[in-house]
Amino acid sequence: MSVFLIHPELPFCKGCGHHHVVRSTVKALEAIGVKPTDVILVTDIGCHGIVDAHFATHTVHGLHGRSVALAAGIAMGIPPGKKVIVYIGDGGATIGLQHILEAARMNIDLTVVVHNNMLYGMTGGQPSSLTPRGFRTAITPQGTSLPHHDLCRLVYEAGAPYVARVLGVGDFSEILRQALETDGFALVEVLELCTSYGLKWNPGLRLKALAEEAGYALGVWTRPPSPVFRLRVGKEGSLRPRGEGLLDLPPVAVRFSSPLEGRWTLILSGSAGEGIQQAAEILARAAMATGLHATKKGSYPVTVGVGFSTAEVILSRSPISYHGVHEPDAVIITSMDGLQNQEDRIRRMRRGVLWIDASLPVPETGAEIQIRDFRGRVGARHAALYAIWTVLQEMGILPPAALREAVQESPLADRVPMEIFASHG
């Protein structure tokens, strides 16, 4: 028994190598002296994943092939000193191979333990991309014809500072201890034989002989440590990315004030290519410059450059926990594409204000209607930005100067005729 296990009897088939993985993991954790509450175990779909309820640590059960991605998010967001461990099978590892390689490339501080029994053990014994050539499975009774990926080599070449491959028999806790103490990404591939399917289709097979014949080299591969990718905690407890490949964005300085006390939601909808998304982002930045919280969510077809473009913006005095907009306070429509995309929502409105371009038919709605010639006054390309300017002028949500400054600080600064912000009075 161990402080890391709630139930000493493990839920695996008799003789399965998963028993050795769990026992060696527990022994390694005991050796490094961490507490169960300092360990987060993230499991994948598969036989190994049913062990969640047996661990006294924090546990997260992921989707098939996605446990490394989940663990990466956890590892980047918690303070150093915690141990994040991933349990994943050979099937999940090949489904989520890109997650593994990216975590290794970024050197995220977690340990991945791959239970490689060379087949999908939970779904009937089908081969995975780690199944070696000649290994017989439920759907390849004559033996798999394709060679397997060398997972350890792929991960090591991606940049992992610690990679190991062991036979899943006996005690290999020392290897897991080394992996857990690695400052950054570590992967241990544990070779096993599934007692239900592997031995059934390959009678008399011995694990060590299989590893040698398939070219599964055993050993440990290390390199000098590189900087660990972490998220830096800001002054107010917010997480900000820090590391190569992601921007460490400076905070938006508060230079204006807003009379908004609660929450204001806006739908801005028009045609793709007419600056809808950028106009909404400029509005959000202007709001932050007044001390408000802001979210912006975009929606548009896969083709991006044709059809509608819709942005949902929330401005709030208090933090925003959910960015969905059920019934907007204001809707701005600048083109027929935007109207067709939002017509059902507009018809359901029982309050709020609809700002619609003068060139468009006015749909039935319970909202107050304001008709303006956005496109006619400034042209299609700047209609969305001019519409936002108009709404701010007439509703007083933000000081117009905040929007003007946000435009000047945006990539549009040299393409937007600033006189449009004086044309409304």
Side-chain angles (χ1 to χ4, degrees), residues 48-391:
H48 67 273
I50 60 177
V51 80
D52 292 25
H54 291 253
F55 269 86
T57 64
H58 303 286
T59 58
V60 178
H61 195 66
L63 297 174
H64 210 176
R66 304 296 180 250
S67 54
V68 174
L70 288 170
I74 294 168
M76 287 190 290
I78 60 177
K82 309 294 184 181
K83 296 298 179 184
V84 182
I85 304 172
V86 174
Y87 274 5
I88 191 169
D90 55 291
T94 51
I95 290 172
L97 181 59
Q98 189 63 26
H99 297 312
I100 295 175
L101 297 181
E102 287 301 294
R105 184 176 72 92
M106 297 169 70
N107 197 29
I108 297 173
D109 192 17
L110 55 88
T111 300
V112 178
V113 182
V114 180
H115 302 58
N116 183 9
N117 58 14
M118 303 171 220
L119 47 74
Y120 284 83
M122 191 183 71
T123 58
Q126 303 88 346
S128 77
S129 296
L130 300 187
T131 304
R133 193 197 305 269
F135 190 86
R136 292 186 289 274
T137 73
I139 64 172
T140 58
Q142 302 305 314
T144 304
S145 61
L146 298 173
H148 65 277
H149 284 308
D150 188 335
L151 180 62
C152 287
R153 182 176 180 179
L154 290 173
V155 172
Y156 183 75
E157 291 182 352
Y162 186 95
V163 180
R165 182 182 287 124
V166 300
L167 295 178
V169 294
D171 180 1
F172 45 90
S173 60
E174 176 58 22
I175 294 295
L176 290 175
R177 182 193 66 78
Q178 294 173 15
L180 289 166
E181 291 186 330
T182 297
D183 193 20
F185 185 87
L187 180 139
V188 178
E189 182 181 6
V190 183
L191 300 182
E192 308 176 25
L193 282 176
C194 175
T195 56
S196 294
Y197 297 111
L199 294 180
K200 173 183 176 181
W201 288 100
N202 301 271
L205 186 63
R206 293 293 179 264
L207 186 58
K208 186 175 181 180
L210 170 63
E212 292 174 352
E213 183 179 345
Y216 267 120
L218 306 178
V220 175
W221 299 269
T222 62
R223 59 161 42 90
S226 59
V228 173
F229 188 95
R230 302 188 189 281
L231 291 174
R232 181 163 59 86
V233 180
K235 292 182 179 179
E236 298 179 356
S238 59
L239 294 174
R240 294 170 59 196
R242 185 177 185 179
E244 294 184 3
L246 292 180
L247 296 177
D248 189 8
L249 298 175
V252 176
V254 177
R255 295 181 294 275
F256 305 93
S257 62
S258 167
L260 183 66
E261 291 297 330
R263 177 185 178 102
W264 186 71
T265 58
L266 167 70
I267 305 297
L268 174 65
S269 192
S271 295
E274 295 185 359
I276 297 294
Q277 303 303 322
Q278 197 141 35
E281 290 165 12
I282 288 172
L283 171 61
R285 188 172 183 88
M288 289 188 284
T290 70
L292 295 175
H293 297 269
T295 64
K296 176 262 176 182
K297 181 173 66 173
S299 176
Y300 34 80
V302 174
T303 47
V304 180
V306 296
F308 75 92
S309 181
T310 297
E312 299 184 4
V313 178
I314 301 174
L315 310 183
S316 175
R317 181 61 60 186
S318 57
I320 303 168
S321 300
Y322 172 63
H323 58 70
V325 176
H326 296 292
E327 188 170 9
D329 297 302
V331 174
I332 298 175
I333 303 295
T334 62
S335 75
M336 182 57 74
D337 287 323
L339 178 59
Q340 291 174 345
N341 179 249
Q342 291 296 307
E343 192 164 6
D344 287 345
R345 191 201 300 255
I346 292 170
R347 292 184 187 279
R348 293 195 302 268
M349 290 176 68
R350 295 295 177 264
R351 62 174 186 84
V353 184
L354 169 65
W355 303 77
I356 189 166
D357 191 80
S359 65
L360 302 173
V362 179
E364 295 181 5
T365 181
E368 177 188 338
I369 298 170
Q370 295 288 338
I371 301 173
R372 296 289 188 276
D373 190 14
F374 301 132
R375 301 173 74 86
R377 296 197 67 169
V378 300
R381 185 66 184 85
H382 304 301
L385 202 52
Y386 177 64
I388 290 175
W389 168 262
T390 301
V391 172

Side-chain angles (χ1 to χ4, degrees), residues 7-70:
H7 306 294
E9 297 299 323
L10 299 178
F12 308 123
C13 298
K14 185 178 180 180
C16 177
H18 294 1
H19 290 273
H20 298 293
V21 176
V22 173
R23 301 297 181 193
S24 293
T25 300
V26 166
K27 191 172 180 179
L29 290 171
E30 291 172 340
I32 63 177
V34 295
K35 298 181 296 185
T37 51
D38 289 329
V39 178
I40 301 94
L41 175 67
V42 184
T43 59
D44 206 81
I45 298 296
C47 300
H48 67 273
I50 60 177
V51 80
D52 292 25
H54 291 253
F55 269 86
T57 64
H58 303 286
T59 58
V60 178
H61 195 66
L63 297 174
H64 210 176
R66 304 296 180 250
S67 54
V68 174
L70 288 170

